[in-house]
Amino acid sequence: MRYPKFLSSSIAAYIAMSIFVVLLYMVLFINLMEYEGQHEYANLANSIYWVMASVTTVGYGDIVFHSMIGKIFSIIVMLSGIPLFFGILITLVITPWFEKTMKLPLAVKVPKKYSDHIIVCGYNALVETLVEEFQEQNTSFVIVSEDEDALRMLSRNNIPCMYGDPSDEVTLENANINSARFLIANQSDNENANIVLTARKVSDVKVIAVAEDASKIKYLKYAGADRVISPKLVLGRFFAKKAVDPFLGVLFGTTEFFDGCSIVEFPVYSKSELIGKTLAQSTINEKTGATVIGLRKGGQLTFNIHPGDVIKDNTVILAVGSKEQLQKLGKLTD
């Protein structure tokens, strides 16, 4: 079972805390047994046995404390054992098993009254950025995909989505294509061509297609797309601008992906609070809403970025977001 990043980190922290508490209980058990003079029980094996029996509330009663402080300790261990043991059991075992066994059905259509919305076909990193933008602007949208794992993750995060083949007429009709604001085809170039053709067959809605290969732009237009966007081409134009005028202002050199969503390069200055932090520690997305898609270090640009990459005073951050989000990021890099 895949968890969102923020949820995975929370689970890891919870497990680490639980292990620490269990180890602490074991140490206290050995010391209290020594204190009571029950030296035969004051060892590692008995401490593991007693703590496990207590936190799981089994409590066989063959090893017990006689002093008041020992009894109070036993009560604390038993009470804390409920959230410690059963929290981990439910999160890591019962819930995944339940979801896998029950396989709750995914939505296959949107409500009939759903209108003036954006239909997004496919889900990937670019769509993650779009979703954040749609949510900030209170824009109605629905993600259509055949990727069950991705849809279940989206459903858990209350993100509108539905299961279906975006190139199928029934699927697009179930997404209320005739009352939609526009449709974004964001899968492979061949799949996007089929999606565009199907959309044109059932509706006159505006269609935007995302092209992986810039050479396929004309074919997507022939299929009926009103607008075709190639991320690689957009990046190429962006860097061409920077090459012509490397001293362009932070937001004056923006290149637009979609309406309200742009890409900008931010040099990190020596007084920036980001210096010395990893991408994970910088929490740029949480603080600004912008998404980092690349880093330039020592003149070398890479899109293969990792949470552990360290931001230095010669680092340039390549980010995508709205004007407001990018302005916030600009303040962090100053």
Side-chain angles (χ1 to χ4, degrees):
M1 178 181 178
R2 295 190 304 177
Y3 294 96
K5 291 181 180 178
F6 70 90
L7 189 57
S8 297
S9 60
S10 298
I11 293 174
Y14 182 83
I15 293 174
M17 182 196 71
S18 300
I19 293 173
F20 172 78
V21 172
V22 168
L23 292 174
L24 177 63
Y25 286 164
M26 290 168 57
V27 172
L28 292 174
F29 170 84
I30 292 174
N31 281 276
L32 285 172
M33 281 294 164
E34 292 283 2
Y35 170 77
E36 291 191 357
Q38 300 190 64
H39 304 294
E40 68 275 18
Y41 297 132
N43 55 61
L44 181 61
N46 281 313
S47 68
I48 295 174
Y49 168 74
W50 184 87
V51 171
M52 289 298 101
S54 298
V55 297
T56 57
T57 67
V58 175
Y60 293 113
D62 50 343
I63 301 177
V64 296
F65 288 103
H66 301 300
S67 65
M68 182 55 67
I69 189 173
K71 292 178 180 178
I72 293 174
F73 173 64
S74 300
I75 293 172
I76 293 172
V77 174
M78 285 184 282
L79 290 177
S80 63
I82 296 173
L84 279 178
F85 177 76
F86 291 102
I88 293 176
L89 183 66
I90 291 173
T91 302
L92 300 182
V93 180
I94 296 177
T95 299
W97 174 84
F98 183 77
E99 288 190 356
K100 185 177 180 180
T101 303
M102 298 301 292
K103 279 290 182 183
L104 297 177
L106 294 165
V108 294
K109 61 171 58 179
V110 299
K112 291 183 179 180
K113 295 182 179 180
Y114 209 61
S115 62
D116 196 32
H117 58 294
I118 298 169
I119 301 173
V120 183
C121 302
Y123 185 76
N124 54 26
L126 177 59
V127 175
E128 287 183 21
T129 302
L130 288 175
V131 166
E132 292 174 4
E133 189 66 26
F134 292 156
Q135 291 175 327
E136 285 198 4
Q137 296 183 11
N138 294 318
T139 301
S140 298
F141 68 95
V142 62
I143 296 172
V144 182
S145 174
E146 291 183 288
D147 186 340
E148 291 191 30
D149 290 337
L151 291 178
R152 293 188 187 282
M153 182 273 288
L154 292 170
S155 296
R156 286 194 295 271
N157 287 281
N158 298 316
I159 295 174
C161 59
M162 58 171 277
Y163 178 82
D165 178 3
S167 63
D168 182 74
E169 292 182 31
V170 175
T171 298
L172 294 184
E173 288 172 352
N174 286 340
N176 291 358
I177 187 171
N178 289 306
S179 60
R181 187 183 304 181
F182 60 86
L183 178 147
I184 298 175
N186 184 41
Q187 300 198 149
S188 70
D189 291 339
N190 289 336
E191 290 172 321
N192 285 344
N194 290 329
I195 292 170
V196 173
L197 288 169
T198 303
R200 278 287 159 263
K201 185 177 180 181
V202 299
S203 174
D204 59 357
V205 68
K206 182 177 180 181
V207 177
I208 299 174
V210 179
E212 295 178 339
D213 185 346
S215 65
K216 301 293 179 63
I217 291 178
K218 60 181 179 181
Y219 298 110
L220 290 169
K221 287 184 177 180
Y222 292 154
D226 296 286
R227 183 179 178 187
V228 181
I229 296 174
S230 171
K232 292 181 180 178
L233 188 58
V234 172
L235 285 171
R237 288 173 178 170
F238 172 77
F239 291 122
K241 283 184 181 180
K242 299 299 287 185
V244 172
D245 187 358
F247 301 104
L248 284 171
V250 168
L251 290 182
F252 292 103
T254 59
T255 299
E256 192 171 61
F257 268 114
F258 295 100
D259 293 338
C261 186
S262 303
I263 177 174
V264 184
E265 247 186 347
F266 290 96
V268 181
Y269 296 99
S270 57
K271 293 183 179 180
S272 170
E273 65 181 72
L274 301 177
I275 298 294
K277 294 182 179 179
T278 64
L279 283 177
Q281 293 169 340
S282 68
T283 61
I284 289 174
N285 184 259
E286 291 81 353
K287 291 178 179 177
T288 68
T291 300
V292 177
I293 62 172
L295 294 175
R296 185 189 293 274
K297 298 180 180 180
Q300 296 295 319
L301 175 68
T302 177
F303 295 102
N304 186 25
I305 58 176
H306 304 281
D309 287 339
V310 178
I311 301 172
K312 301 178 181 179
D313 58 4
N314 63 343
T315 299
V316 176
I317 295 174
L318 187 64
V320 173
S322 66
K323 180 179 178 181
E324 292 75 16
Q325 292 170 339
L326 294 172
Q327 285 176 334
K328 290 179 182 178
L329 178 54
K331 292 178 181 179
L332 286 181
T333 58
D334 286 341

